[in-house]
Structure formats: C-alpha cells, structure tokens
Amino acid sequence: MKEIVMETSLAARRVFAAEAAEEGRRGPRAVLLVFDTLSLWRERARQRRQLAGLPDHMLNDIGISRAQAWMECDKPFWKG
C-alpha cells in the first residue's frame, strides 16, 4: 500500500513539473523543492526503521556493527 502511495505521488510530481515547465512558472519549483525534501526525509526515516530491525547477521553482511546501526538510527530524519 505504501509503495502505491509513493508511486502515485511521484507520478503526480512528474505531471506537476511538466505543466510548470510548459508554462514557465517559477513558483512551482519551490513547491517541488519542498516535495522533494519531504520525500527524502520520509525515505530516510523508512530506511532507518528497517535498519533498526535487521538482525546482527544481516548487519554483518552489509559490513556494519550493531553500534553503527544504532548511531545511524538515532539520527533525526532531517540529518543525512
């Protein structure tokens, strides 16, 4: 369900960007920047939740320790 929502919102963004480009508007660029930032933050939060749920053997497979995973998961979503 979440994938469908994300896919739909990305499709809506593409349509919005195409319409804005055709009309040469500047305002929509700011809206797109906000949308992109919010999408990035949402994706970071999702990835950090998934990382927090990985068992130790999977963390070892990707080359990070549990402590490193905790450090990453403790970051706020707006920090890269």
Side-chain angles (χ1 to χ4, degrees):
M1 175 96 167
K2 289 180 184 179
E3 292 174 10
I4 294 170
V5 172
M6 183 61 105
E7 193 173 300
T8 303
S9 61
L10 290 174
R13 182 194 183 286
R14 285 188 209 106
V15 169
F16 185 74
E19 290 173 356
E22 285 176 11
E23 296 176 15
R25 294 181 288 176
R26 295 176 67 89
R29 291 185 191 141
V31 173
L32 293 176
L33 179 60
V34 169
F35 180 84
D36 287 345
T37 301
L38 292 174
S39 295
L40 174 64
W41 288 352
R42 183 176 176 188
E43 180 63 16
R44 279 185 191 153
R46 183 192 66 78
Q47 289 177 359
R48 288 175 180 159
R49 279 192 308 272
Q50 286 184 330
L51 182 64
L54 290 178
D56 288 337
H57 73 276
M58 292 184 89
L59 292 174
N60 289 335
D61 286 348
I62 61 173
I64 63 172
S65 68
R66 174 60 62 192
Q68 290 170 316
W70 284 337
M71 286 175 34
E72 182 64 29
C73 294
D74 283 343
K75 288 182 186 178
F77 62 87
W78 60 86
K79 288 195 177 181

